[in-house]
Amino acid sequence: MLIGNVPSILASCVKLVSLILKGNKFLGILPSTLSELRGLEELDISMNNFSRRIPDYLESFIFLQKLNISFNDFEGAVPKRGIFTTATAISIEGNKRLCGGIPDLKLRSCQSKGFARKKFTHIMKLVLPSSFGLVCLFLMMYFVYLRCFNKTMKVPSFSFFSQSFAELSYQSLVKATNGFSPANLIGLGSFGSVYKGILDLDQGETLAAVKVLNLQSRGAAKSFIAECKALRSIRHRNLVSVLTACSSVDYKGDDFKALVYEFMVNGSLEEWLHPNEKEDDAHDKSQSLDLLQRLNIAIDVGSAVLYLHHHCSEPIVHCDLKPSNILLDDEMIGRVGDFGLARFLGDATCISSANQSSSIGLRGSSGYAAPEYGMGNEVSTSGDVYSFGILLLEMFTGKRPTDIMFDGGLTLHNIVKMAMVEQVANIGDPTLFQQAVTGETSSSINISQNKSPASIHEVKECLTSILKIGIACSEELPSDRPDIKDIVTQLNVIKNTLLGVGVHGGGRARIAD
């Protein structure tokens, strides 16, 4: 995360053999003093913000065997001598304004300024007169249109988002996130980074989560469009609310796209299920989720999926249900987020019918994606049910589906299924049984007002029922999986049984098979 110009004092390191500055935020030009480093054998300055022309002195580095300048902002002609004569020794991708070089690089040719100027002049002589007339005609029509329809013209960008927020500028997001500071970074995803930010709005300061798309990542632009399209038409208490969006250019003139969400103070479900994996979170998440909290969150997620599948104007498949995409608000209510892979069911079916391989990339995350997606099958609601089943098993066993213990054909689904035959205590999250022994819970209610904390027997019964649902949801064949309607109904029955209020509010309900 180093930033600024490369220190010229590096030139004094005349015996330097390898210089690697990869993945920082250096900017500007490489200092001319670096021409003194003629003993370099490897130079890697990729993934920075260097600009201008590639320094000519690199051609004279006779010992240089590897040069990586990729993903910067270099421009102009690529040199043709020294290391630049061997295409396999250099890496220059991601510099959109480079040209020329040896044929093996397959770059566009660099036209001379004289030729370009002559061509431009000729084109302008042909185009200007007619263009001027068209522009004048367009302006006249535009002003007439404004006079007649002035009251109906005001349609703000991204008007499908929160009515309290106008589309934010790039500069306002830079200010809100302290220049996209690493200290504000709260998450990394497949297509971008999420920063905590404080938006300075007319109604006061608002805490928000800013998802910045990495547009160099393949599929990131499509992810932005998919997420905007999905979020445009959905509203539910168990979905993360998007406040607004930003589609602009950054300080280098490159495309910039971001989505701004309401900030979830309790982070992601993943942080609560696996609190010891990050030392920085240990003091904040020292108390693990109890049985009722996990069950409530499972019902929250199931309710969100039920809404997406059955209560939207057009069914939506999320395609990426996993703990890191489940966020928790200040009341520990589960909210489903990240619709970057979401597809309207009609669109997904249409795409897959035309070309089954086109569904590759919509599968979701390893360990949570339905097995049929790996064979190129169409995206479907049963794929979300599979992911939800794996999520349930992880929530109540504390084991990730991607754990190293699952290899050689052994999966989280299989190991839970085998453990159910013996004893559920062998596979359930140990902290749930410890809480039953000590009587300590994290819930705001103590199971119910008229009931003592759940006993070990009740915890076992509850876990057995929940894990059976998880197993059924994560069956290999889509036809063997239940519908999300039945899943949510069964989870509510289990919750009522645990609370001792029964399905209809009285007595005790039988735990569902």
Side-chain angles (χ1 to χ4, degrees), residues 180-464:
F180 302 111
S181 167
N184 288 53
L185 185 67
I186 57 176
L188 290 170
S190 303
F191 299 120
S193 307
V194 182
Y195 297 86
K196 180 180 179 181
I198 300 177
L199 301 176
D200 190 7
L201 305 170
D202 294 338
Q203 58 266 45
E205 292 185 342
T206 299
L207 198 59
V210 182
K211 179 181 179 181
V212 179
L213 278 293
N214 176 13
L215 297 180
Q216 292 181 346
S217 175
R218 184 179 180 183
K222 290 183 179 180
S223 170
F224 177 79
I225 295 171
E227 194 151 7
C228 286
K229 185 179 179 182
L231 294 169
R232 175 188 312 191
S233 57
I234 56 177
R235 293 288 186 276
H236 192 271
R237 71 186 294 269
N238 296 124
L239 299 176
V240 176
S241 298
V242 62
L243 304 179
T244 186
C246 176
S247 183
S248 183
V249 292
D250 62 16
Y251 69 95
K252 296 191 297 182
D254 293 332
D255 287 341
F256 175 87
K257 297 186 185 300
L259 287 163
V260 182
Y261 301 90
E262 60 176 320
F263 185 77
M264 297 288 107
V265 297
N266 279 312
S268 71
L269 176 60
E270 181 175 26
E271 296 168 1
W272 286 84
L273 293 179
H274 311 286
N276 298 324
E277 294 183 7
K278 292 184 178 180
E279 293 182 2
D280 295 341
D281 295 338
H283 64 285
D284 295 325
K285 308 288 193 297
S286 57
Q287 193 171 22
S288 61
L289 297 169
D290 64 34
L291 181 60
L292 184 58
Q293 284 179 317
R294 297 186 198 210
L295 184 52
N296 279 331
I297 294 169
I299 293 173
D300 291 337
V301 177
S303 300
V305 177
L306 175 61
Y307 169 78
L308 295 174
H309 289 186
H310 295 286
H311 299 295
C312 291
S313 57
E314 188 174 358
I316 295 176
V317 184
H318 186 275
C319 292
D320 202 18
L321 293 173
K322 58 182 180 179
S324 61
N325 287 341
I326 311 301
L327 303 178
L328 304 174
D329 64 15
D330 55 347
E331 296 180 355
M332 295 300 287
I333 294 173
R335 308 276 200 95
V336 176
D338 197 341
F339 284 77
L341 296 181
R343 290 293 181 272
F344 287 91
L345 191 57
D347 293 347
T349 304
C350 180
I351 292 172
S352 297
S353 297
N355 180 6
Q356 282 197 341
S357 64
S358 66
S359 63
I360 303 300
L362 307 180
R363 303 174 187 173
S365 301
S366 176
Y368 302 91
E372 63 267 21
Y373 289 172
M375 296 180 286
N377 283 20
E378 296 176 357
V379 169
S380 67
T381 54
S382 63
D384 275 357
V385 170
Y386 179 90
S387 302
F388 182 73
I390 297 298
L391 178 68
L392 276 181
L393 298 182
E394 180 175 359
M395 287 180 65
F396 292 91
T397 65
K399 294 177 174 59
R400 294 180 183 274
T402 54
D403 195 283
I404 56 174
M405 68 182 290
F406 302 124
D407 58 2
L410 188 65
T411 64
L412 179 58
H413 169 92
N414 293 339
I415 198 171
V416 175
K417 197 170 186 177
M418 290 187 292
M420 295 291 288
V421 178
E422 298 293 332
Q423 190 176 7
V424 70
N426 294 336
I427 193 64
D429 191 330
T431 58
L432 298 177
F433 295 101
Q434 293 170 7
Q435 291 166 352
V437 173
T438 61
E440 296 178 357
T441 66
S442 305
S443 301
S444 57
I445 56 174
N446 197 18
I447 299 300
S448 76
Q449 295 178 348
N450 301 317
K451 190 177 184 297
S452 60
S455 66
I456 291 180
H457 175 70
E458 289 172 319
V459 170
K460 287 181 180 180
E461 279 193 318
C462 183
L463 278 177
T464 300

Side-chain angles (χ1 to χ4, degrees), residues 47-287:
M47 300 174 67
N48 282 283
N49 296 317
F50 292 112
S51 58
R52 309 277 184 87
R53 295 177 62 87
I54 299 173
D56 292 333
Y57 58 73
L58 293 177
E59 293 177 301
S60 62
F61 283 18
I62 60 175
F63 297 103
L64 195 58
Q65 300 174 17
K66 183 179 180 181
L67 174 64
N68 189 348
I69 63 170
S70 58
F71 298 105
N72 282 285
D73 197 25
F74 287 109
E75 63 184 68
V78 176
K80 295 183 179 180
R81 295 184 297 173
I83 192 171
F84 296 98
T85 61
T86 307
T88 56
I90 62 175
S91 180
I92 62 173
E93 64 264 29
N95 293 280
K96 301 177 182 177
R97 297 191 285 178
L98 286 178
C99 61
I102 61 174
D104 289 346
L105 295 177
K106 299 179 180 179
L107 297 175
R108 60 183 176 86
S109 60
C110 301
Q111 295 179 342
S112 65
K113 292 182 179 179
F115 176 80
R117 189 180 298 112
K118 182 178 179 181
K119 183 177 180 181
F120 176 75
T121 303
H122 179 68
I123 292 174
M124 292 302 290
K125 287 181 178 180
L126 295 175
V127 173
L128 268 180
S130 56
S131 298
F132 182 74
L134 287 172
V135 169
C136 291
L137 179 62
F138 173 78
L139 288 174
M140 290 175 62
M141 294 175 65
Y142 179 70
F143 284 120
V144 170
Y145 184 76
L146 282 180
R147 288 176 63 87
C148 297
F149 302 98
N150 186 48
K151 294 183 179 181
T152 62
M153 285 290 293
K154 298 177 181 179
V155 182
S157 299
F158 300 102
S159 57
F160 49 85
F161 293 136
S162 173
Q163 297 300 317
S164 304
F165 295 82
E167 180 186 352
L168 297 177
S169 67
Y170 169 74
Q171 289 76 15
S172 63
L173 294 184
V174 170
K175 180 181 178 182
T177 59
N178 194 22
F180 302 111
S181 167
N184 288 53
L185 185 67
I186 57 176
L188 290 170
S190 303
F191 299 120
S193 307
V194 182
Y195 297 86
K196 180 180 179 181
I198 300 177
L199 301 176
D200 190 7
L201 305 170
D202 294 338
Q203 58 266 45
E205 292 185 342
T206 299
L207 198 59
V210 182
K211 179 181 179 181
V212 179
L213 278 293
N214 176 13
L215 297 180
Q216 292 181 346
S217 175
R218 184 179 180 183
K222 290 183 179 180
S223 170
F224 177 79
I225 295 171
E227 194 151 7
C228 286
K229 185 179 179 182
L231 294 169
R232 175 188 312 191
S233 57
I234 56 177
R235 293 288 186 276
H236 192 271
R237 71 186 294 269
N238 296 124
L239 299 176
V240 176
S241 298
V242 62
L243 304 179
T244 186
C246 176
S247 183
S248 183
V249 292
D250 62 16
Y251 69 95
K252 296 191 297 182
D254 293 332
D255 287 341
F256 175 87
K257 297 186 185 300
L259 287 163
V260 182
Y261 301 90
E262 60 176 320
F263 185 77
M264 297 288 107
V265 297
N266 279 312
S268 71
L269 176 60
E270 181 175 26
E271 296 168 1
W272 286 84
L273 293 179
H274 311 286
N276 298 324
E277 294 183 7
K278 292 184 178 180
E279 293 182 2
D280 295 341
D281 295 338
H283 64 285
D284 295 325
K285 308 288 193 297
S286 57
Q287 193 171 22

